[in-house]
């Protein structure tokens, strides 16, 4: 039986990239898109707690949609999830974790190119946290 991967996106444009990347694998992709969180970030009453609750609720909803794992493709979403607060027991894969692992395994400086300047801070914070937890170091050149 095919495994089902729930893909949690902030924008519909990510679907095509994930479909292409995972096409060789025998998995069913079920896409969930929530562009609303990005749109309300500028609201005066928007807080980290609001984002975390919305992301938590959505991840729990996705986990009840008969998926075997969840892939989060949005850096903003991954930066704002508190995995220890999720009641779901299914695996949650953050899109950046394989990249962070690869960066931390290299001795030479890596180049990161950002197409969206709004994701630089969140991604870098996550990379630093990842490296700290793994007791690794890294060297980077950033282009945004």
């Amino acid at each position: 039986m095919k495994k089902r991967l729930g893909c949690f996106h902030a924008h519909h444009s990510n679907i095509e990239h994930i479909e292409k990347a995972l096409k060789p694998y025998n998995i069913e992709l079920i896409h969930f898109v929530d562009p609303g969180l990005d749109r309300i970030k500028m609201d005066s009453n928007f807080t980290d707690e609001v984002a975390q609750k919305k992301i938590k609720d959505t991840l729990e909803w996705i986990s009840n949609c008969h998926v075997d794992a969840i892939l989060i493709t949005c850096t903003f979403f991954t930066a704002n999830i508190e995995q220890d607060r999720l009641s779901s027991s299914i695996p949650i894969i953050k899109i950046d974790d394989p990249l962070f692992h690869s960066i931390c395994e290299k001795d030479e400086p890596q180049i990161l190119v950002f197409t969206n300047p709004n994701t630089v801070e969140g991604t870098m914070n996550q990379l630093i946290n990842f490296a700290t937890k793994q007791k690794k170091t890294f060297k980077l050149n950033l282009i945004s």
Side-chain angles (χ1 to χ4, degrees):
M1 176 151 85
K2 257 187 192 182
K3 295 290 184 183
R4 293 175 304 261
L5 180 63
C7 302
F8 184 23
H9 310 286
H11 196 273
H12 291 88
S13 63
N14 291 332
I15 293 173
E16 180 182 355
H17 301 295
I18 298 302
E19 291 274 346
K20 282 182 183 177
L22 299 179
K23 187 175 183 167
Y25 302 98
N26 187 30
I27 56 175
E28 178 184 358
L29 302 176
I30 301 106
H31 299 283
F32 301 85
V33 181
D34 186 354
L37 259 178
D38 192 48
R39 296 187 57 83
I40 66 171
K41 283 193 284 191
M42 301 306 170
D43 290 358
S44 61
N45 62 344
F46 186 78
T47 63
D48 289 343
E49 292 78 24
V50 169
Q52 290 164 0
K53 180 175 180 354
K54 174 65 171 135
I55 293 166
K56 176 184 180 285
D57 291 347
T58 303
L59 288 171
E60 289 178 355
W61 180 74
I62 293 170
S63 71
N64 289 318
C65 291
H66 309 289
V67 297
D68 298 298
I70 298 171
L71 171 65
I72 304 173
T73 67
C74 171
T75 300
F76 178 76
F77 293 172
T78 61
N80 282 283
I81 88 168
E82 297 177 359
Q83 244 169 312
D84 58 328
R85 292 189 174 189
L86 298 174
S87 61
S88 173
S89 61
I90 68 169
I92 295 178
I93 306 155
K94 297 177 179 181
I95 193 77
D96 294 329
D97 282 357
L99 171 66
F100 296 161
H101 179 75
S102 178
I103 289 170
C104 290
E105 293 300 312
K106 309 277 189 212
D107 291 327
E108 64 276 354
Q110 302 296 294
I111 297 173
L112 285 185
V113 179
F114 289 85
T115 57
N116 181 350
N118 295 328
T119 64
V120 175
E121 183 179 354
T123 302
M124 292 308 302
N125 288 341
Q126 288 186 81
L127 174 56
I128 291 165
N129 289 338
F130 181 91
T132 301
K133 286 180 187 174
Q134 301 292 321
K135 296 180 172 56
K136 301 275 186 173
T137 61
F138 58 89
K139 298 172 189 157
L140 285 181
N141 294 318
L142 299 178
I143 301 172
S144 62

